[in-house]
Each structure stands twice: as structure tokens, then as C-alpha cells.
Amino acid sequence: MNRVRMTSRRAPRSSLHHLLRPHVHPLDQIMMLRAIELAQQASGIGEVPVGAVVYRGRQILGEGFNLRESTNDPTAHAEMLAICQAAARLGSWRLKGCQLAVTLEPCPMCAGAIVNSRIDRVVYGARDHKMGCVDSLHDLLRDSRFNHQCEVIDGVMADHCARLLKVFFRQRRREKRHG
């Protein structure tokens, strides 16, 4: 019952959200290109190709790519690594005034870290229909019940970001079939 209510409530907001979509700033595209480069590095070492960049103005404060397989650490997502690096660089867990560009819609863990770190704005590429908690399954970053909400810009270079993932998983399935 609750799931049905959430779905019907979200549909109009979602369609309206796309009509009123905020302007994608050229800097967001530049940072997404960097996140894509990081995702390609992840793919090169056998990690799921997701990259993330935390920035304030033109300054990159933290960046990362998935390292979950390499480190056997379930928290080693691109966003988590970028957020931790930015916090260490600033000497504060509060990342007010910062933005995050990430190639894939954040999962619940990463969305929680984004809210808790007080990031102002999140720019993401491809949707994650299995784990995404910004638009696909939940809307954690704009939930007014939390003490912090983020502006969200979705779909930035989405086709390119999604293609990285599709190629990676196609290759992985091919490798499993052939031994």
C-alpha cells in the first residue's frame, strides 16, 4: 500500500521536475567529464565504472572511483571516497558550498553520506533503477524530513555514463560465459 502511494505521488513531481529542470552549468559538464575519466579508470581495474568529483567553484576537493572489489570494502563507492577526501582536505565534515558530480545515481548509503555531509548540489549522469535513491526508488536528497536537502541535476551526459556501464557488464557476462 505504501509503495503504491509513493509511486503515484512521485509520478507528477517527476514529470514536473523535468519540465522545470535547472540549467546545467558548463562547469557541471566539465566535472562530469572528470567523473567519466575516473569511471573509466575503475573499469580498467575491473571495478564497476562509477566516478565522482566533489568540487567548490572550479576547485576539485575530492574525487574517487569504485574500489569495492579491489578493497573488499562495501563502502568503497566513488561518492564515499570523494566525500571523505574532500572532508579531509577541508578539515571539516561539513561540505557546505560544495557540489558532487557522479556518473551514476547515488545508492542509499551514498545519498545518506551526501545529506550528512551537507553537500549543496548533486549532478548525476545515468539513473540506477535497482539502487538509485535520488530519483529511481526514493528521493532521499530532497526529503524535507531530513535537516538538509540538496539541489539535484539529473541526466547530465546520461547516455555516455550509461554506455560505460552497459559495455562493462556486457564484457563481464561474456567473460563468465567463456570461462
Side-chain angles (χ1 to χ4, degrees):
M1 180 71 176
N2 192 18
R3 180 140 170 91
V4 172
R5 195 173 69 220
M6 282 182 62
T7 302
S8 63
R9 181 188 60 125
R10 285 182 45 75
R13 186 207 59 81
S14 188
S15 60
L16 180 63
H17 170 71
H18 291 294
L19 290 173
L20 301 174
R21 185 176 176 162
H23 174 71
V24 178
H25 192 276
L27 184 58
D28 296 332
Q29 294 175 331
I30 291 167
M31 295 302 175
M32 185 60 75
L33 285 171
R34 177 61 185 147
I36 289 169
E37 289 173 0
L38 293 164
Q40 289 169 331
Q41 289 179 36
S43 182
I45 62 169
E47 293 282 352
V48 174
V50 178
V53 178
V54 174
Y55 56 102
R56 188 167 50 195
R58 292 190 159 278
Q59 182 182 23
I60 293 176
L61 300 171
E63 56 185 29
F65 54 82
N66 278 3
L67 288 173
R68 204 166 56 165
E69 300 296 327
S70 303
T71 61
N72 290 316
D73 180 353
T75 68
H77 288 203
E79 303 95 307
M80 299 294 286
L81 299 172
I83 289 168
C84 288
Q85 193 177 88
R89 185 163 186 189
L90 291 175
S92 174
W93 61 267
R94 289 180 185 87
L95 301 180
K96 291 290 280 174
C98 294
Q99 298 171 39
L100 172 76
V102 60
T103 57
L104 183 65
E105 179 182 1
C107 72
M109 174 183 66
C110 295
I114 290 164
V115 169
N116 279 303
S117 64
R118 312 297 197 266
I119 288 175
D120 289 343
R121 194 161 166 270
V122 173
V123 176
Y124 77 86
R127 283 205 173 187
D128 184 349
H129 297 287
K130 293 182 179 180
M131 290 292 288
C133 282
V134 177
D135 286 308
S136 296
L137 300 177
H138 294 287
D139 186 0
L140 295 180
L141 299 186
R142 293 171 289 218
D143 190 325
S144 62
R145 294 172 293 178
F146 293 130
N147 65 343
H148 178 76
Q149 293 82 45
C150 302
E151 179 184 353
V152 175
I153 310 293
D154 65 316
V156 176
M157 300 181 185
D159 291 341
H160 190 79
C161 295
R163 191 169 31 260
L164 283 171
L165 290 159
K166 285 177 186 171
V167 167
F168 176 82
F169 285 113
R170 187 180 308 130
Q171 180 64 31
R172 185 176 268 184
R173 283 190 299 273
R174 197 174 295 139
E175 289 170 359
K176 281 185 179 181
R177 272 195 309 264
H178 298 295

